[in-house]
Amino acid sequence: MGILYNRIAVFRAERGVTRRELAEAVGVNNQTIGYLERGDYKPSLELAMKIAAFFGVPIELLFSFRPFESVADTMRRAAAAGERNP
């Protein structure tokens, strides 16, 4: 199995959640969240589902086998789509 990409840091920042808060909510050490965010550790399915449930999103929005589009690229694409559809 290859690299598992994630957007945990993006969702934490967007929601104003610390690593410690997320770790406590899903029952792991706060260092584990850091390892996950850096890609040094792959979560169990149970942990991945707990993190997705914490943020209230489908697991596919947090984890992927393909790199996620950058936030800047996503915003540019959304802005361009808005200009085409007034």
Side-chain angles (χ1 to χ4, degrees), residues 3 5 9 13 16 32-34 39 44 48 50 52 72 76 79 83:
I3 297 172
Y5 298 92
T32 301
I33 301 302
S44 65
K50 284 180 178 180
R76 276 192 289 273
E83 291 172 3

Side-chain angles (χ1 to χ4, degrees), residues 54-75:
F54 175 84
F55 289 116
V57 299
I59 199 167
E60 300 85 21
L61 286 182
L62 281 172
F63 299 96
S64 175
F65 291 117
R66 295 183 189 171
F68 288 103
E69 179 179 51
S70 74
V71 174
D73 288 344
T74 301
M75 292 176 69

